[in-house]
């Protein structure tokens, strides 16, 4: 009996020693928790995918739910960030401003669509292309990266941006897509550059505050349902063909009083000189 009790006591002591050896003390537990917290804090809020061997595009964002400014990094995992991908910030209703690095060259389809608190997007470099629906529904957007070097604004890019009151189209712009500025009700005037060769249909439709659109003689293609042409047709009986014929002969026709009368208070065409 005594031998049994001795063995039982020895077993209990052994179990206790093993348990004590495997249980971290308070200091070790705190250190582990701090390490995990640091990992969580340093985790990037950006998701991305490869665009080429040495470049990536931003595909998503998981930042704070409180209103804040987002600074897109120039480099992720030693690769240049060259674009904001499709739907990357789609309906993110906490971002108020976005700063793009010098490396970003394009903004993809619906990249910032529905960001109702977004007021400003600044680019430190040259954004060459703004994609379809890129900023549609950004009702508080006042400033966007429309600057020298921009080549194309795709269809519906600024659809319903009701707070955008002014925009200067750069001399490098060649194309504005259909409905690009549809419903920009605060926009008061637009002057297209001589570089523009294609203007999509209804590009400035429902821009109720728009007093004039200046078109250049270099313009080669106008969407057949462009709202300003509809106004011409209603007011003067002009057809799209009539307007394009005027454009083809702009350098001569600009000197005639009749031409200016037709376009008075609707839009003015210039020869770009």
């Amino acid at each position: 009996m005594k031998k049994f009790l001795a063995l039982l006591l020895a077993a209990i002591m052994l179990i206790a020693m093993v348990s004590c050896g495997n249980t971290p003390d308070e200091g070790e537990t705190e250190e582990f928790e701090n390490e995990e917290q640091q990992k969580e804090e340093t985790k990037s809020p950006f998701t991305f995918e490869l665009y080429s061997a040495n470049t990536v595009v931003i595909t998503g964002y998981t930042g704070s739910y409180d209103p804040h400014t987002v600074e897109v990094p120039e480099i992720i995992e030693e690769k240049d960030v060259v674009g904001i991908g499709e739907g990357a910030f789609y309906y993110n209703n906490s971002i108020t401003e976005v700063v793009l690095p010098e490396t970003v060259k394009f903004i993809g389809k619906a990249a910032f669509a529905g960001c109702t608190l977004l007021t400003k997007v600044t680019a430190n470099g040259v954004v060459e292309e703004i994609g379809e629906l890129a900023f549609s529904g950004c009702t508080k957007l006042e400033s966007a990266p429309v600057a020298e070097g921009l080549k194309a604004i795709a269809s519906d890019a600024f659809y319903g941006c009701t707070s955008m009151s002014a925009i200067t189209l750069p001399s490098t712009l060649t194309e504005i897509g259909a409905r690009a500025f549809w419903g920009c009700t605060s926009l008061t005037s637009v002057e297209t550059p001589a570089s523009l060769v294609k203007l999509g249909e209804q590009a400035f439709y429902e821009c109720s505050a728009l007093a004039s659109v200046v078109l250049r003689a270099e313009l080669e293609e106008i969407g057949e349902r462009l709202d300003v042409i509809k106004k011409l047709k209603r007011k003067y009986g002009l057809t799209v063909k009539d307007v394009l014929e005027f454009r083809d002969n702009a350098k001569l026709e600009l000197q005639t009083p009749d031409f200016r009368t037709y376009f008075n208070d609707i839009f003015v065409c210039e020869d770009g000189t």
Side-chain angles (χ1 to χ4, degrees):
M1 184 66 178
K2 289 182 179 180
K3 185 176 181 181
F4 173 75
L5 290 175
L7 289 172
L8 180 61
L9 180 61
I12 292 172
M13 291 178 66
L14 180 61
I15 292 172
M17 290 173 65
V18 171
S19 299
C20 289
N22 289 337
T23 303
D25 58 28
E26 185 176 343
E28 290 175 336
T29 301
E30 184 176 351
E31 183 179 352
F32 175 78
E33 290 176 350
N34 287 339
E35 287 178 357
E36 289 300 307
Q37 184 177 354
Q38 288 176 0
K39 288 180 181 178
E40 188 65 28
E41 289 176 351
T42 56
K43 181 180 178 181
S44 173
F46 299 97
T47 57
F48 61 94
E49 65 182 17
L50 281 176
Y51 186 70
S52 69
N54 299 311
T55 63
V56 297
V57 296
I58 300 297
T59 58
Y61 178 72
T62 58
S64 172
Y65 288 105
D66 296 323
H68 65 286
T69 296
V70 173
E71 293 190 13
V72 176
E74 183 173 338
I75 296 173
I76 293 180
E77 294 188 359
E78 300 182 352
K79 294 178 174 60
D80 288 345
V81 176
V82 294
I84 308 300
E86 180 175 341
F89 292 86
Y90 185 73
Y91 272 84
N92 186 314
N93 291 319
S94 60
I95 60 173
T96 57
E97 293 187 24
V98 174
V99 180
L100 302 177
E102 186 176 355
T103 51
V104 167
K105 301 301 179 185
F106 66 89
I107 297 173
K109 181 178 180 179
F112 296 96
C115 295
T116 55
L117 293 185
L118 184 63
T119 61
K120 183 179 182 181
V121 178
T122 304
N124 289 323
V126 176
V127 174
E128 298 178 357
E129 180 180 350
I130 295 178
E132 181 181 353
L133 295 162
F135 296 99
S136 75
C138 294
T139 54
K140 291 189 177 180
L141 185 67
E142 298 176 355
S143 177
V146 178
E148 289 300 316
L150 180 65
K151 298 176 182 178
I153 298 175
S155 58
D156 304 292
F158 294 98
Y159 189 109
C161 292
T162 54
S163 296
M164 185 176 290
S165 60
I167 188 166
T168 301
L169 300 176
S171 64
T172 52
L173 188 65
T174 61
E175 180 178 347
I176 296 177
R179 304 170 302 279
F181 295 93
W182 176 302
C184 292
T185 53
S186 297
L187 198 61
T188 57
S189 66
V190 174
E191 181 172 348
T192 62
S195 58
L196 189 70
V197 295
K198 182 177 180 180
L199 182 61
E201 61 185 35
Q202 298 177 312
F204 303 102
Y205 194 72
E206 296 294 341
C207 294
S208 54
L210 192 59
S212 65
V213 179
V214 177
L215 302 181
R216 304 281 184 169
E218 288 80 3
L219 193 62
E220 296 177 1
E221 182 178 341
I222 302 177
E224 64 181 22
R225 290 163 52 206
L226 189 68
D227 58 298
V228 290
I229 293 180
K230 282 187 172 183
K231 290 181 180 180
L232 285 172
K233 185 174 181 179
R234 287 197 304 267
K235 189 168 183 180
Y236 299 108
L238 291 177
T239 65
V240 175
K241 183 179 179 181
D242 293 330
V243 174
L244 296 181
E245 284 178 354
F246 273 132
R247 181 216 62 210
D248 292 338
N249 298 298
K251 291 186 184 300
L252 296 175
E253 297 288 351
L254 279 171
Q255 308 305 317
T256 68
D258 288 343
F259 187 80
R260 291 194 177 276
T261 299
Y262 281 131
F263 290 81
N264 187 37
D265 298 327
I266 300 173
F267 61 72
V268 177
C269 287
E270 297 180 353
D271 63 4
T273 58

